[in-house]
Amino acid sequence: MDDPTSRSRFRPEATSKPREISVTLHVNGEQRTLAVAPWTTLLDALRDRLHLNGTKKGCDHGQCGACTVLIEGRRVNACLTLAVMKDGAHITTIEGLSADGALHPLQQAFIDHDAFQCGYCTPGQICSAAGLLAEGKAKTADEIRELMSGNICRCGAYPNIVAAIQQAMGAMGSKS
Amino acid sequence: MINFEYARARDVADAVRQISADPAATFIAGGTNLIDLMKYDVARPMRLIDITHLALKTVEETANGGLRIGALVPNSDLAYHPVVEKRYPLLSSAILAGASQQLRNMASTGGNLMQRTRCFYFYDVATPCNKREPGSGCSAINGINRINAILGTSEACIATHPSDMCVALAALEAKVHVAGPAGERAIAFAEFHRLPGDRPEVDTNLKADEIITAIELPARGFAANYSYLKIRDRLSYAFALVSVAAALELEGGRIKEARLALGGVAHKPWRNAEAEAALRGQPAKSDAFARAAEILLRDAKGFAHNAFKIDLARRAILRTLAQAANATPQIQSSKKIR
Ligand SMILES: Cc1cc2nc3c(=O)[nH]c(=O)nc-3n(C[C@H](O)[C@H](O)[C@H](O)COP(=O)(O)OP(=O)(O)OC[C@H]3O[C@@H](n4cnc5c(N)ncnc54)[C@H](O)[C@@H]3O)c2cc1C
Ligand code: SF4
Ligand code: FES
Ligand code: FES
């Protein structure tokens, strides 16, 4: 190991395909066990294996937030998360936010404020906002904007998104 | 993404054993930089060693009044840690200036130090890049180099280190604790990252078989007079073109101790002892700030698209020092520069 750095690109000729690994994910309250290749991202596992297509793939590189889900209640980018690394984790996606058939206050607020146009970024926006409310760090509109900056909206629905989050914050009583 | 094997490390000794045994293996923590680079085929490890289960997740006060931060503490938890907010607000502020809350929730303290440059050509495997393929050439020197370095560059590479957190850690004179087959050692922050020289593929002085275990902050936190100002192409969720961490200790309007570190301008957080010495003993006023900026940027060299950074850095230094002196630090959620 005398050359510290060529490590990252050092690669002898093709290896045999590594074995799939069994992981158990608790998704929206349901226990799901599946075998995944080590390189399967959580985003691909949710969409392609568990058929939860609400979570969107925008950039696949951490740059847009469309893939935002909650892991143990914290918002993360599912596109930069490997499924094998989340064995045993509790994951909430947009499909799991509503309870007993009633919309989550954020979902209702996004409808009330027309906080979307095409809707592609919306599941990520709402999951991110759910994480933001749980964190309790944002109080003002400026703080909401800054702490929601990890969610890009190509349609530019930002003012309505901020208004929707403020409504939900009021409805739920901001936890801090 | 290319195929790779996945393994988990049980503890630090096991992680060191596994990394020493396999030269084609790489540690993974938050994954926010490594997985991105693997998707672009820039990083091609054959085995990932998952270190997220190691017990390196605590923030503890040390006997000498400092703080020891485990390498796996997420960036967001560190920024909002009550002791960090109170005693090291410069560090909190710098962390919150970087990435997004989702990414900060994932990113680890150790991974933040080890993140690689955002140079466009480093990411584009179709182009020559000495950092990615040693000896292939540098596409940035005569290419689109708006985001590249103005200080400490070499003919082989003009990349910058993209971290915000590290700029604050440099100003605070943190120490990096690492473990390897030969045992543990501590690296002064200024010695952790390297300049490119003729080996731009080597970012840091961490050895390939070593793991970062913790970052240690000294007792002095500059909580009264500090500021982190980040200038970028959009107001949030973008890397720095220029950033400045300033920390002062004042006594009767005069500067007793000064720290000044720049981000976005070099292959490592940039400090200059002479510039800081020029501030000491002076009234905390614009004359002294201008003199420090002049010394700091004396050897700056712009390229076709980034010469603007020299003037930008000068102004940002003046502004950040004034913010620190006036105890009106930049608030990251406020887009008005105070
Ligand atoms: C869209 C986007 C925007 C961003 N914006 C910013 C920004 O504005 N400012 C900023 O500062 N950062 C920014 N980041 C970068 C982010 O801060 C880093 O990706 C993150 O800090 C890396 O930490 P990680 O734990 O995810 O590292 P990983 O991706 O897991 O690892 C990165 C490298 O560190 C090595 N490593 C990890 N832990 C250790 C350890 N304990 N010991 C030894 N080696 C280790 C790994 O082997 C790997 O080579 C951004 C990232 C993205 C994707
Ligand atoms: S500046 Fe460095 S990272 Fe960018 S192309 Fe040149 S060698 Fe590669
Ligand atoms: S798809 Fe994950 S951030 Fe864009
Ligand atoms: S509603 Fe279209 S991207 Fe946000």
Side-chain angles (χ1 to χ4, degrees):
Chain A
M1 210 155 303
D2 9 303
D3 186 351
T5 48
S6 35
R7 177 185 283 288
S8 63
R9 285 183 66 79
F10 175 81
R11 208 170 163 80
E13 272 322 294
T15 46
S16 58
K17 187 179 172 212
R19 209 165 32 82
E20 295 204 321
I21 298 170
S22 170
V23 292
T24 298
L25 305 174
H26 304 270
V27 186
N28 301 330
E30 238 179 90
Q31 181 173 320
R32 311 288 295 264
T33 299
L34 62 164
V36 293
W39 50 89
T40 305
T41 60
L42 178 62
L43 177 59
D44 288 344
L46 289 171
R47 289 180 53 86
D48 300 345
R49 302 292 303 283
L50 301 178
H51 308 297
L52 291 166
N53 295 326
T55 308
K56 300 294 184 245
K57 183 183 285 193
C59 64
D60 213 19
H61 289 279
Q63 300 182 359
C64 75
C67 65
T68 304
V69 298
L70 302 163
I71 301 185
E72 313 302 345
R74 291 160 66 101
R75 44 180 167 155
V76 299
N77 304 91
C79 69
L80 294 182
T81 304
L82 295 178
V84 281
M85 290 177 70
K86 295 299 162 195
D87 192 20
H90 292 79
I91 295 155
T92 307
T93 68
I94 189 70
E95 290 91 343
L97 274 186
S98 61
D100 307 323
L103 290 180
H104 185 279
L106 276 165
Q107 293 173 311
Q108 187 59 52
F110 268 62
I111 295 170
D112 294 347
H113 288 271
D114 205 8
F116 41 76
Q117 286 180 40
C118 77
Y120 197 82
C121 72
T122 312
Q125 298 279 2
I126 291 179
C127 286
S128 185
L132 172 132
L133 294 182
E135 290 153 14
K137 300 292 178 189
K139 310 268 191 261
T140 65
D142 273 352
E143 288 165 351
I144 293 174
R145 272 190 285 273
E146 175 63 16
L147 289 173
M148 285 296 292
S149 72
N151 294 83
I152 306 288
C153 175
R154 272 312 190 210
C155 300
Y158 298 112
N160 302 17
I161 292 171
V162 172
I165 293 172
Q166 282 175 315
Q167 172 180 315
M169 214 176 243
M172 298 171 68
S174 142
K175 303 176 212 159
S176 55
Chain B
M1 217 173 344
I2 39 94
N3 297 4
F4 57 85
E5 308 250 4
Y6 169 79
R8 238 174 234 176
R10 282 190 311 276
D11 50 34
V12 170
D14 184 37
V16 169
R17 206 161 33 239
Q18 288 198 39
I19 199 92
S20 308
D22 185 353
T26 306
F27 292 135
I28 182 160
T32 60
N33 189 223
L34 185 59
I35 294 177
D36 187 30
L37 290 170
M38 287 168 69
K39 287 183 176 182
Y40 283 116
D41 212 20
V42 175
R44 298 158 50 82
M46 289 189 53
R47 175 191 300 273
L48 291 189
I49 303 168
D50 178 356
I51 58 171
T52 57
H53 298 271
L54 306 192
L56 303 173
K57 294 174 186 159
T58 54
V59 179
E60 285 158 17
E61 293 183 76
T62 61
N64 54 12
L67 205 63
R68 190 181 165 104
I69 302 155
L72 290 171
V73 174
N75 289 180
S76 53
D77 289 3
L78 186 56
Y80 293 129
H81 192 284
V83 177
V84 178
E85 281 185 328
K86 181 156 179 266
R87 291 182 44 208
Y88 305 96
L90 175 65
L91 179 58
S92 279
S93 185
I95 295 172
L96 293 177
S100 67
Q101 183 65 7
Q102 289 97 312
L103 289 161
R104 293 190 293 265
N105 276 340
M106 305 167 74
S108 66
T109 303
N112 193 303
L113 267 63
M114 296 299 289
Q115 65 174 298
R116 309 214 64 194
T117 187
R118 308 302 289 205
C119 175
F120 304 134
Y121 304 98
F122 177 70
Y123 265 82
D124 180 355
V125 295
T127 61
C129 166
N130 286 325
K131 189 181 277 301
R132 180 170 30 77
E133 295 289 350
S136 63
C138 171
S139 300
I141 286 189
N142 295 310
I144 303 300
N145 46 35
R146 173 175 171 79
I147 68 168
N148 293 72
I150 53 171
L151 284 160
T153 54
S154 73
E155 275 168 29
C157 179
I158 60 169
T160 63
H161 191 263
S163 170
D164 291 295
M165 183 178 95
C166 289
V167 184
L169 290 175
L172 293 169
E173 297 194 340
K175 243 193 284 184
V176 186
H177 290 275
V178 311
E184 297 179 6
R185 65 180 179 123
I187 307 171
F189 207 82
E191 304 301 317
F192 188 80
H193 296 100
R194 300 175 66 255
L195 288 181
D198 56 6
R199 298 285 313 277
E201 71 278 17
V202 193
D203 290 351
T204 72
N205 287 316
L206 187 78
K207 298 205 185 88
D209 49 9
E210 286 180 320
I211 182 170
I212 301 170
T213 53
I215 307 293
E216 188 182 332
L217 296 176
R220 200 180 223 170
F222 299 93
N225 295 94
Y226 74 93
S227 187
Y228 186 77
L229 180 60
K230 177 175 181 180
I231 312 290
R232 46 193 150 172
D233 276 332
R234 62 179 182 199
L235 292 176
S236 185
Y237 202 15
F239 287 93
L241 287 167
V242 168
S243 71
V244 185
L248 301 173
E249 229 171 77
L250 303 179
E251 211 174 52
R254 280 184 186 270
I255 300 168
K256 200 170 142 212
E257 174 64 3
R259 305 279 176 76
L260 192 55
L262 301 191
V265 298
H267 204 252
K268 58 189 286 189
W270 193 262
R271 280 182 69 190
N272 181 319
E274 202 192 321
E276 292 173 17
L279 287 167
R280 280 186 209 110
Q282 300 299 313
K285 294 260 161 55
S286 53
D287 286 357
F289 303 161
R291 177 89 193 107
E294 190 188 307
I295 297 170
L296 227 161
L297 295 166
R298 198 170 41 205
D299 299 322
K301 174 178 164 226
F303 296 84
H305 303 282
N306 74 351
F308 74 95
K309 278 192 181 187
I310 301 174
D311 218 29
L312 184 63
R314 177 174 295 113
R315 294 175 191 190
I317 291 169
L318 297 185
R319 199 64 165 255
T320 316
L321 282 168
Q323 291 178 330
N326 300 335
T328 53
Q330 183 65 33
I331 306 293
Q332 299 308 339
S333 60
S334 160
K335 299 307 167 189
K336 232 182 241 150
I337 297 176
R338 357 188 1 181

